[in-house]
Amino acid sequence: MAKLFTIFLIAINAVVFAYSVSVITEYIVSKNDPERLYYKRIKNMIEKLENHIIIVGYGRNGKQAADKLLAYDKKFVIIEKDKDIIDKHQNDKFFFYGRQCNRR
């Protein structure tokens, strides 16, 4: 019984050590790439949204829809393919571009 407990204890310690190393490594890597950390944070925020509206494109109609939704305090995400448009509009809207999420 003692041998079985020792084997179990060693296995648990190995798993905890491996997990700790992966968390520390991710922290160090994300410090070098703040955009990746920012993307991950925004992605988690978007995944937690429920009962939200998706606006595809931030042209004339998309902008009007976003303004109306902001006026009614509704949750929404904007999907836009033109990064210049995302950079141009800096307000409290969620933009999703390719593999990046930008909250402006």
Side-chain angles (χ1 to χ4, degrees):
M1 186 69 162
K3 287 182 181 181
L4 189 60
F5 177 74
T6 304
I7 292 170
F8 177 74
L9 191 61
I10 290 171
I12 292 297
N13 284 330
V15 169
V16 169
F17 178 74
Y19 178 74
S20 299
V21 168
S22 71
V23 168
I24 291 169
T25 303
E26 181 179 359
Y27 177 75
I28 291 170
V29 168
S30 65
K31 281 288 206 180
N32 293 332
D33 189 7
E35 188 172 316
R36 181 176 166 206
L37 183 64
Y38 182 74
Y39 166 70
K40 186 175 181 180
R41 185 173 59 88
I42 296 299
K43 181 181 171 196
N44 289 337
M45 290 172 67
I46 290 173
E47 286 175 356
K48 290 178 185 177
L49 284 176
E50 292 181 359
N51 299 322
H52 63 285
I53 298 168
I54 299 172
I55 300 173
V56 180
Y58 195 66
R60 186 184 57 159
N61 292 333
K63 184 173 179 0
Q64 289 175 356
D67 291 340
K68 283 282 190 188
L69 292 170
L70 277 175
Y72 288 105
D73 199 29
K74 299 288 183 181
K75 298 181 222 172
F76 63 93
V77 176
I78 301 170
I79 301 175
E80 176 60 52
K81 66 180 178 179
D82 188 356
K83 189 150 173 46
D84 293 334
I85 291 176
I86 295 171
D87 293 336
K88 183 178 175 183
H89 299 282
Q90 296 184 359
N91 47 26
D92 294 328
K93 297 180 178 114
F94 282 120
F95 280 97
F96 185 78
Y97 168 74
R99 295 198 68 218
Q100 295 180 332
C101 285
N102 297 312
R103 184 173 186 197
R104 302 287 181 173

